[in-house]
Amino acid sequence: EVQLQASGGGLVQAGGSLRLSCAVTGFGSDAYAIGWFRQAPGKEREGIVCIDSGGDKYFTDFAAVQNRFSISRDSAKNTGSLQINSLKPEDTAVYYCAASEVVSRTARHYDYWGQGTLVTVSS
């Protein structure tokens, strides 16, 4: 069974940086895309970025404009990482990692989801 677990969230001051991790199990190979999404209280889940099995990165519009996010993956360890710099209070949200057999920045295309990790940014 495919399982994902996001970790690394917590309380951080505005202006700081945070690295979130995603551990993937159950896939027989690394032939999947990893996507990162977030959901703030009272808002819809929004995509941030995804990375395919070849390492190509696809940012959503807001993430590309803000230029504060970076993504990586370590196929040998079956892990992924999302780095967030210059954190703002509006970054407060539950952050989710997900896996898909196709490359997409759209949440509905992802079949496998982690439980999410809460990031709280204080001002």
Side-chain angles (χ1 to χ4, degrees), residues 26-123:
F27 263 108
S29 70
D30 64 349
Y32 55 87
I34 299 174
W36 285 93
F37 303 82
R38 69 183 185 182
Q39 188 165 19
K43 294 187 176 182
E44 294 182 346
R45 188 169 300 182
E46 64 178 351
I48 304 170
V49 63
C50 71
I51 182 169
D52 66 18
S53 60
D56 290 327
K57 304 163 186 178
Y58 305 86
F59 290 88
T60 60
D61 289 344
F62 93 89
V65 169
Q66 293 190 18
N67 197 31
R68 298 185 295 110
F69 305 89
S70 62
I71 188 171
S72 63
R73 69 187 295 170
D74 187 335
S75 295
K77 296 181 179 180
N78 294 316
T79 59
S81 179
L82 177 71
Q83 177 81 22
I84 313 173
N85 298 320
S86 302
L87 282 158
K88 304 175 181 180
E90 52 264 42
D91 291 324
T92 296
V94 176
Y95 285 72
Y96 298 89
C97 65
S100 174
E101 294 179 354
V102 299
V103 180
S104 177
R105 287 166 284 194
T106 304
R108 65 182 178 87
H109 292 157
Y110 285 76
D111 294 321
Y112 311 106
W113 291 84
Q115 85 289 355
T117 184
L118 177 63
V119 174
T120 303
V121 183
S122 63
S123 59

